[in-house]
Amino acid sequence: MSSLALAPAPPAKSVVLYRNGDAFFPGRRFVLNQRHFQTWEVFLREVTKSIQAPLAVRNLYTPQHGHRLARLGDLQDGCHYVAAGSERFKKLDYLSHGRKEQRGRRKREALQASCGFSPHSQLQEFWLRPCLACSCCSVFRNGDLLSPPLPLPLSKSSPLQWDTLLAMLTERVSLHCGAVHRLCRLDGTQVCSGEELVHGHYYVAVGDEEYKKLPYFQLLVPQGSVSTTLWYVD
């Protein structure tokens, strides 16, 4: 067997992308691995969809100097880049521009987001109430190795009915296939009631498709975090 066949796959990279000319876009984290992004074009198509770019993304630039990247190999793990279409790179302070004026609002939004709160959600009371006192687990999207897990509050004092909880996840998770029909553990076994959910554990929201057993935790949860060391149950 050749040494090439035995060579390990390149390690995954994590990068954050901003929208060109949008100083208030918070950035979107992407995890790159050779299995899911085999070409530059495939990656740019996914970026276009994920950051909701007004035009198809054609170029990536370094945020400070606007140096253009031309291939996947140019991306460096842990770095930040700006996604643009065919227009010129717009030099802004993407990492901090405009944040001082909106610091108070951003802090409130971050607190709300950590509890799964959305001002447009029909279930916003449930998402806000756990900020005061509750436990929490985390939910991945089935087959999605790009999006971080969504925090799911667990209120023992006023738990939701299972159908209501699935409807809430449908609104929050936004699966490509539509509604959330099942919630699975990382080993693929199905959760059938809210009483089975455990604080600090990770789950996968599944639609009407089959559960896809993928390394969600290994690729989407920062290594060395408290979540990694205490909450992962395979």
Side-chain angles (χ1 to χ4, degrees), residues 12-233:
K13 301 177 182 178
S14 176
V15 299
V16 176
L17 299 185
Y18 300 92
R19 286 198 296 248
N20 190 36
D22 187 346
F24 297 100
F25 181 66
R28 176 70 187 273
R29 183 173 300 279
F30 291 82
V31 178
L32 292 82
N33 60 71
Q34 194 175 51
R35 180 173 56 184
H36 289 85
F37 297 117
Q38 297 183 0
T39 68
W40 182 244
E41 290 72 22
V42 169
F43 176 60
L44 293 184
R45 284 199 298 269
E46 183 61 37
V47 171
T48 299
K49 179 176 64 176
S50 297
I51 69 171
Q52 300 180 344
L55 299 173
V57 173
R58 293 285 181 262
N59 300 288
L60 296 185
Y61 297 93
T62 58
Q64 286 84 9
H65 305 291
H67 295 153
R68 180 173 174 271
L69 288 76
R71 56 184 180 274
L72 289 173
D74 292 341
L75 298 173
Q76 300 297 314
D77 183 44
C79 290
H80 297 238
Y81 302 99
V82 177
S86 56
E87 76 278 10
R88 296 180 60 183
F89 168 74
K90 299 176 182 179
K91 188 172 182 180
L92 297 173
D93 189 355
Y94 290 95
L95 304 184
S96 62
H97 179 71
R99 285 346 188 235
K100 293 181 179 179
E101 295 84 350
Q102 300 193 12
R103 182 176 299 169
R105 182 175 67 85
R106 293 290 179 179
K107 287 183 178 179
R108 290 194 300 272
E109 290 177 352
L111 176 61
Q112 293 168 353
S114 69
C115 298
F117 175 77
S118 169
H120 305 294
S121 171
Q122 295 178 350
L123 295 161
Q124 61 183 7
E125 266 188 41
F126 174 81
W127 288 104
L128 181 59
R129 187 170 61 246
C131 293
L132 304 178
C134 82
S135 57
C136 187
C137 60
S138 302
V139 179
F140 297 103
R141 297 165 176 83
N142 192 37
D144 186 349
L145 290 178
L146 298 175
S147 305
L150 177 78
L152 174 62
L154 304 175
S155 176
K156 294 183 179 180
S157 60
S158 55
L160 290 176
Q161 295 294 324
W162 189 243
D163 289 344
T164 305
L165 188 143
L166 292 180
M168 176 186 65
L169 283 174
T170 295
E171 181 179 344
R172 296 292 301 168
V173 172
S174 301
L175 292 178
H176 292 303
C177 62
V180 174
H181 295 298
R182 292 177 292 145
L183 199 60
C184 295
R185 301 178 182 87
L186 295 184
D187 62 2
T189 58
Q190 187 171 339
V191 179
C192 298
S193 69
E195 289 74 14
E196 296 182 34
L197 297 174
V198 180
H199 168 66
H201 283 206
Y202 292 82
Y203 301 92
V204 180
V206 183
D208 55 7
E209 78 282 11
E210 292 185 358
Y211 169 75
K212 299 176 182 178
K213 190 172 184 180
L214 297 172
Y216 302 101
F217 180 85
Q218 292 87 339
L219 294 181
L220 298 176
V221 177
Q223 298 302 304
S225 67
V226 174
S227 299
T228 302
T229 56
L230 298 181
W231 293 351
Y232 176 45
V233 176

